[in-house]
Amino acid sequence: MRKWHRVALGVLFIVLVGIQFVPVQRNEIEPVTNADFIEHYESPVVIGNIIRASCYDCHSNQTKYPWYSNVQPIGFLLQNHISEGKSELNLSEFGLLSNRMKRTKLKSILSQIDNDKMPMPSYLFLHSEAKLDSLKKTLLVSYFDSILVDIDR
């Protein structure tokens, strides 16, 4: 092995070890409030379980971090993904939105489900329990449609 290969590998090793000590700001679990989507709409248990398994890790203040989130740079990438997800839709604060924004978000959710965009394939790779089969999709679509009808009244 050439000398510059050894130097490059040594530098890479030092960087990878060094970034393990850089703290990552995590999505801390907060108490569930009435603004939480499931609480706000008093969702049936079945619906709540589907939403928690398929959406809450990236779209709420209730992220359950896997063990590999402590390994950098994976932790940085994961936290970035969660921050982006929450900025787009935070189900923990859904009840605080205006009715107009709730309609917009629900229509977007329905579109994402219909087009198999959510949950993301990269998430499903390690979280098979989050996969939305046809029954779960039907249940969620029906439920979200009923909420849209109630909002429009």
Side-chain angles (χ1 to χ4, degrees):
M1 186 184 294
R2 293 186 179 169
K3 182 177 180 176
W4 69 271
H5 282 132
R6 277 185 254 151
V7 170
L9 285 173
V11 169
L12 181 62
F13 178 76
I14 290 169
V15 168
L16 286 175
V17 169
I19 64 173
Q20 303 310 308
F21 299 100
V22 176
V24 176
Q25 184 176 1
R26 295 169 70 108
N27 184 24
E28 297 300 325
I29 293 181
E30 298 176 3
V32 176
T33 68
N34 288 337
D36 181 84
F37 182 90
I38 294 169
E39 294 296 317
H40 185 73
Y41 290 108
E42 298 176 357
S43 302
V45 172
V46 170
I47 297 294
N49 289 341
I50 295 169
I51 294 170
R52 275 189 201 92
S54 299
C55 311
Y56 266 45
D57 276 348
C58 298
H59 295 285
S60 80
N61 298 335
Q62 304 296 316
T63 303
K64 294 178 185 163
Y65 285 92
W67 66 267
Y68 53 84
S69 68
N70 294 313
V71 178
Q72 306 311 336
I74 296 168
F76 295 130
L77 298 171
L78 192 60
Q79 189 54 47
N80 183 54
H81 178 76
I82 291 167
S83 296
E84 286 178 14
K86 279 181 56 178
S87 72
E88 190 63 37
L89 172 67
N90 187 344
L91 292 167
S92 293
E93 300 172 1
F94 196 86
L96 302 175
L97 300 174
S98 68
N99 283 348
R100 181 178 180 184
M101 186 57 74
K102 287 176 185 173
R103 273 193 300 277
T104 300
K105 295 294 184 184
L106 284 167
K107 288 177 182 177
S108 177
I109 290 168
L110 287 165
S111 172
Q112 298 287 321
I113 291 171
D114 188 46
N115 294 315
D116 293 322
K117 300 281 186 182
M118 290 289 163
M120 294 177 70
S122 59
Y123 182 76
L124 293 173
F125 180 71
L126 294 171
H127 301 274
S128 59
E129 73 283 356
K131 182 161 178 51
L132 296 176
D133 59 26
S134 60
L135 175 61
K136 288 178 183 177
K137 283 184 187 180
T138 301
L139 288 169
L140 287 178
V141 167
S142 175
Y143 183 68
F144 292 142
D145 279 338
S146 72
I147 293 172
L148 275 172
V149 169
D150 286 344
I151 291 172
D152 289 334
R153 285 187 199 165

